[in-house]
C-alpha cells in the first residue's frame, strides 16, 4: 500500500464520516476548522479507519485526549505548557515536525485542533502500517 | 405521547442483531398533523424506532449497565413513505461494539419494500458525570423501554420469539 493509497482511503473515510464532498477534503484540511468535525466524529473516524485498514487503534493513540483533561501542569492560562508540549510530541511522534513547531510557537489550547489534519491521519497510518 | 416507537422484538441475538416490529395505527397523534389529509410517518420517528431497536441491542451487551445515547447518525436514506396500516420491521446489526461507543447498521422494511436504511452511532454517558447529573437511576432504560427490554432479554434467552 502506497502513501497515495492510504490518502485515498482516508479521504473516502472522511467523506463518509463527515458528509463532505470529495473535493472538500485535501491533505491540509483541518478536521474541525475546515471539515466541521465534532467530538463524536473523532470516535466515528477512528472506528471507520479500523474497519477500513483492518487495524486496532488504541484509545487516545491517534487523537490524544490526556492533554484535554485540564491537568494544570499540562495546560495553564489557555496555553499548553512546556511539559504539555513535550507530552504532546511524545504521544504524537507521527505528527509533521514542522506543524508541531508551528503550534509550539503559539500553543493556545484553542489552536490544538489545527494539528488534527488529514495529513496527520495519513502520517499516523503510515507509521502504523510500516509504509 | 408515550415515547416508545417499537411494539415488540421478533428476534434478538445478543451482541449481533435485533429485529423489532412496529404497527402503524391511524390513531397515532403524529398522523394527524403529518400531514392533514395525507398521513405519512415522520422520517425522524422511523429513525427513532430504529434507534430504540439498536439501542436496546447495544444496551443489552453490557447488561444495561451503560446509559446508551444516540450520538450520531452518519447517514440515513429514506426510500418511500410509511403509512397507517403498515407494519414496519426494524432490523439492526452490530458493526462495532466497544467500550468507547457502538455502531449499528439498520434497515426498515414493510413487507418486501425497503423503507429506510441508516447507520447509528451510540455513545455511553460517562458514569461519574452522569451520576452527578442524574443520580444512579438509569433514565435511558426505564419505564416502557424497560418493559421491552424484558421482552428482549427473554428473546435473547431463546424463549422470547413470541414474548
Amino acid at each position: 500500500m502506497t502513501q497515495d493509497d492510504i490518502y485515498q482511503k482516508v479521504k473516502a473515510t472522511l467523506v463518509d464520516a463527515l458528509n463532505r464532498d470529495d473535493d472538500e477534503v485535501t491533505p491540509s484540511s483541518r478536521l474541525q476548522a475546515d471539515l466541521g468535525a465534532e467530538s463524536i466524529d473523532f470516535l466515528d473516524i477512528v472506528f471507520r479507519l479500523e474497519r477500513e485498514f483492518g487495524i486496532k487503534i488504541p484509545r487516545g493513540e491517534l487523537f490524544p485526549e490526556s492533554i484535554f483533561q485540564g491537568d494544570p501542569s499540562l495546560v495553564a492560562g489557555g496555553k499548553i505548557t512546556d511539559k504539555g508540549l513535550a507530552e504532546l510530541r511524545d504521544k504524537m511522534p507521527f505528527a509533521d515536525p514542522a506543524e508541531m513547531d508551528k503550534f509550539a510557537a503559539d500553543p493556545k489550547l484553542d489552536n490544538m485542533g489545527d494539528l488534527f489534519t488529514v495529513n496527520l491521519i495519513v502520517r499516523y497510518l503510515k507509521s502504523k502500517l510500516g509504509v | 405521547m408515550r415515547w416508545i416507537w417499537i411494539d415488540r422484538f421478533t428476534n434478538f441475538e445478543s451482541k449481533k442483531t435485533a429485529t423489532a416490529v412496529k404497527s402503524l395505527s391511524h390513531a397515532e397523534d403524529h398522523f394527524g398533523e403529518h400531514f392533514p389529509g395525507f398521513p405519512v410517518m415522520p422520517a425522524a420517528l422511523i429513525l427513532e424506532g430504529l434507534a430504540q431497536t439498536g439501542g436496546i441491542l447495544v444496551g443489552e451487551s453490557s447488561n444495561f449497565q451503560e446509559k446508551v445515547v444516540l450520538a450520531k447518525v452518519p447517514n440515513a436514506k429514506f426510500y418511500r413513505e410509511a403509512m397507517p396500516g403498515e407494519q414496519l420491521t426494524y432490523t439492526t446489526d452490530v458493526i462495532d461494539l466497544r467500550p468507547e461507543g457502538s455502531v449499528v447498521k439498520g434497515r426498515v422494511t414493510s413487507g418486501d419494500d425497503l423503507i429506510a436504511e441508516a447507520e447509528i452511532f451510540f455513545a455511553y454517558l460517562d458514569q461519574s458525570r452522569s451520576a452527578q447529573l442524574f443520580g444512579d437511576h438509569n433514565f435511558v432504560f426505564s419505564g416502557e423501554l424497560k418493559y421491552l427490554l424484558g421482552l428482549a432479554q427473554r428473546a435473547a434467552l431463546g424463549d422470547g420469539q413470541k414474548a
Side-chain angles (χ1 to χ4, degrees), chain A residues 92-108:
Chain A
M92 299 173 74
F94 48 87
D96 185 337
E99 288 293 316
M100 196 58 101
D101 290 345
K102 195 172 136 196
F103 173 69
D106 184 19
K108 287 198 191 83

Side-chain angles (χ1 to χ4, degrees), chain A residues 45-47 49-50 55-63 124-125 128, chain B residues 98 100:
Chain A
I45 290 166
V46 166
F47 282 18
L49 291 174
E50 289 191 342
I55 53 171
K56 279 281 164 212
I57 302 176
R59 192 172 189 167
E61 190 174 271
L62 173 56
F63 304 118
Y124 167 78
L125 289 167
K128 187 93 180 162
Chain B
R98 302 270 297 268
E100 306 97 297

Side-chain angles (χ1 to χ4, degrees), chain A residues 17 19 40-41 43-44 47-48 50-51 56-57 59, chain B residues 71-72 74 95-96 98 100-103 119 121 123:
Chain A
N19 269 309
I40 194 69
D41 294 319
L43 206 51
D44 187 17
F47 282 18
R48 283 172 192 271
E50 289 191 342
R51 294 201 292 272
K56 279 281 164 212
I57 302 176
R59 192 172 189 167
Chain B
K72 177 179 175 181
I95 303 291
D96 258 314
R98 302 270 297 268
E100 306 97 297
S102 296
V103 186
E119 204 177 305
F121 200 109

